[in-house]
Each structure stands twice: as structure tokens, then as C-alpha cells.
Amino acid sequence: MPADTPALVDQLKGGLDAPICLTWELTYACNLECVHCLSSSGQRDPRELTTTEAKRVIDELHDLQVFYVNIGGGEPLVRRDFFELLEHSLANNVGVKFSTNGYLLDGAKATRLAGLTDVDVQLSLDGADAETNDPIRGDGSYSAVRRAMDNLARAGFEGYKISVVATRHNVGQLDAFERLAADHGAELRITRLRPSGRGADVYHELRLTGPQQVELYQWLRARPDVLTGDSFFHLSALGDPLPGLNLCGAGRVVCLIDPIGDVYACPFVIHDEFLAGNVRDSGGFTSVWRDSDLFLELREPQSAGACASCGSYDACQGGCMATKFFTGLPLEGPDPDCVFGHADEALADVDPLAVPRAGQDHSKPGRRVPVVLGRTT
């Protein structure tokens, strides 16, 4: 890392006048119901931002000089105004990265995307084969992603991302994911499973084991070009830091706008305790980012808390705030996936009835949470 990185990280901890990037869930509507969905998506919320309101937010992001926005959902392609909003954003020099499950990414849409600049497509895939992927994302979802990959290739769209949430069932397929991406001219992105939304129901079944965390860390260290979105900074306690800022950027450099305009500290803490305001409020998103009590508090110097005696705190920063919150652990304590097991005893003592739950659930009626999600590879 450059010599000035620590100074830069200290500056980012104090927050910026505008987020470097932000996540924007355009809709809770989705044709799938992935078992680990961080926003419990499925049904559309009738209070969704209108096209005009969404454009107004984009105009604010332009004025704030936000570099790009990560658009997700739900499934963003469900919105009929998706391309209208996409093109409005690009026209205002706000780059767009959007995630899709691939079902609606047909040949016509792929061709339209290939004709745009500053847009990045991310296809979600949680298994290198249907037997591993579909129990997580739904029957037929693996085939849908492969069709979307073929459509992008035919349209000449290059450099899209294949995004994988690492679980104990697919971590043994890392090399296969790498080959799949390389064979299709795509980039590979590995992200962390968190107990947010429906992910809370399956977190303890799908979370990586201790040895798997070490395996993943070593695999990522050997492949600095694999993207992680800073998901695994808690693994940096194992040795040399992984590429990235290695800090929690919630409310400091990143945040989330949900489909109804609520602004949360990060995409993984959709809960009233981390709600900073709404873009429909007076002053819009700019006022929420710069003046909300929550964000100002998050930008204050943070104590190491129970991790103060650990020599690796500077490397892992205590781990992920959202993962601690939604497993019932104190925010000033160690991450539940602490590589040294410092959270194991506290995690075993947590009363399941006292664990916070996400404030909203947009799952479709009659949803069944499967007990066995896939095979261990």
C-alpha cells in the first residue's frame, strides 16, 4: 500500500462532504426470492420513488460530484423506467453499476447496454453449477445467468462482473468461478455473506467455517485483481491486508437509499437504528448526508472497545457493524466471524429472541425458508 494510505484512511473515517459512491435499491420487486437477500425483496412497495423523484436524486448526486451509484433491488430491470433513469444518470456524469439476476437481461437490453458508456453490469451467481446455485437463488436461476452472459457476449458488452456471495457451500468452487469469469471476459467479485434481511434466517448455516475463512483469505491474497468491495477487511487480521481501504465506510464514505427514499448508513443495516432520513425530507439527500445526527455520530472517532487488547485491531477494525448488530453482538465487540474466535463465546450466549430483525420484509406470501440449502463442496 502507498505510504500515505493510513493518513487517507484517517481522513475517510471522519467522513466526506459527499459519498464516494452509494447503493440505491430502486425497487423491492423481484422475480426471485434468494434465501440470503439483504433487503428481503419480493414484492414492490407502493411508496416507491417516482421517476421524477428519482431523477431529482440523481441531479443531487451530480451536484455533489458523486462518482458512481450502485443500483440494485430487488431486481432493478423490473422497473419500466430503468433505462430512463440510467440514461439520466449517465447524462449527469454519474456512473452506474447495477446488479441483476439476469432473467430480464435479454438480447435487446444487452444491445442497448453495450451502446452506453460508464455503465457496469454485475450478474449475481452463487454457485459454479446449478446444483450449488439454485438452492440459494431459486430453480432455473443458474441457467438465467448463463443466458444473460451469452446475450452480453453477442452484444459485444465486455468487462461485466460475476458477483458471488461466499458461503460454506461454494467457497470450494473459487477456482471454478475464476475460470468461468476468465473464459467469458468478465471480472470476478467475491462478497461476504451478512445476516441482513432474509440472510438472518440462514446466516449460521451458510457462514464460512474458520478453516474456510483462512482458505478464502489466502486465495484472495494471491489474486489482488479479484474484486471484493472491501467485504472482507475482518480477514486482514490474518496477516497482510487485503486490497482496499479495510474499514467500515458506513455513513462516512458510503450509504444506502432504499426504494422509498429512506437513507441508511449502509446496505446491510436496514433497521430504524441506522435510518438517517429520507430524500423526500426538506434539503433532500444532501441534507441527510451532511447533517443527520446518525452520520455525524458515525464520523466521530470510534473506540476499539472489547477488541482493544487484540493486536490485530488496526488491521480488522473490529469487523462489520451490520454483522454484529444482526447477530445480537455489541457494536464495540468483535465480529462474529473473528478469525481468532474472540466472539464465539458471546455468540453462543446470545438470546435468539433478543436479536434485532430488519424492520421490513417484502417477501412474497407463503415463502418457505429451506432447511438444507445445498451440498458442501
Side-chain angles (χ1 to χ4, degrees), residues 28-43 73-75 100-103 123-127 132-142 145 163 165 167 193-194 196-203 206 361-364 367-370 373:
Y28 285 126
C30 191
N31 54 310
L32 297 184
E33 279 199 294
C34 302
V35 299
H36 56 15
C37 178
L38 65 91
S39 59
S40 298
S41 289
Q43 300 185 94
E75 170 53 51
T100 175
N101 59 42
Y103 266 94
L123 296 173
S124 299
L125 187 68
D126 289 327
T132 308
N133 177 84
D134 288 9
I136 302 292
R137 305 192 59 82
D139 291 343
S141 56
Y142 179 83
V145 169
S163 182
V165 177
T167 71
L193 172 74
R194 291 176 174 90
S196 307
R198 284 196 296 269
D201 297 326
V202 296
Y203 173 71
L206 294 184
D361 189 344
H362 301 274
S363 302
K364 297 168 187 175
R367 179 181 64 88
R368 179 181 66 86
V369 178
L373 296 174

Side-chain angles (χ1 to χ4, degrees), residues 109-235:
K109 291 186 179 68
T111 299
R112 190 169 181 180
L113 289 168
L116 300 173
T117 57
D118 295 326
V119 61
D120 193 8
V121 179
Q122 184 169 283
L123 296 173
S124 299
L125 187 68
D126 289 327
D129 50 50
E131 290 76 17
T132 308
N133 177 84
D134 288 9
I136 302 292
R137 305 192 59 82
D139 291 343
S141 56
Y142 179 83
S143 296
V145 169
R146 297 304 301 266
R147 284 196 301 273
M149 292 169 65
D150 292 339
N151 290 335
L152 289 171
R154 282 191 286 267
F157 190 106
E158 299 179 344
Y160 62 87
K161 310 292 190 295
I162 296 175
S163 182
V164 179
V165 177
T167 71
R168 68 179 57 182
H169 297 306
N170 67 20
V171 73
Q173 298 180 330
L174 291 173
D175 290 341
F177 285 122
E178 184 179 32
R179 287 193 299 271
L180 181 66
D183 290 346
H184 291 81
E187 292 185 86
L188 181 60
R189 184 172 186 263
I190 308 293
T191 62
R192 183 181 178 185
L193 172 74
R194 291 176 174 90
S196 307
R198 284 196 296 269
D201 297 326
V202 296
Y203 173 71
H204 291 290
E205 179 183 344
L206 294 184
R207 62 190 288 232
L208 300 183
T209 64
Q212 286 176 332
Q213 291 203 94
V214 175
E215 174 188 350
L216 175 60
Y217 168 76
Q218 294 171 340
W219 192 88
L220 290 172
R221 280 289 303 161
R223 294 164 177 81
D225 292 335
V226 172
L227 307 173
T228 64
D230 241 4
S231 290
F232 301 104
F233 60 89
H234 72 293
L235 295 183

Side-chain angles (χ1 to χ4, degrees), residues 332-346:
E332 66 275 11
D335 190 296
D337 290 323
C338 170
V339 295
F340 303 124
H342 292 325
D344 293 353
E345 185 176 346

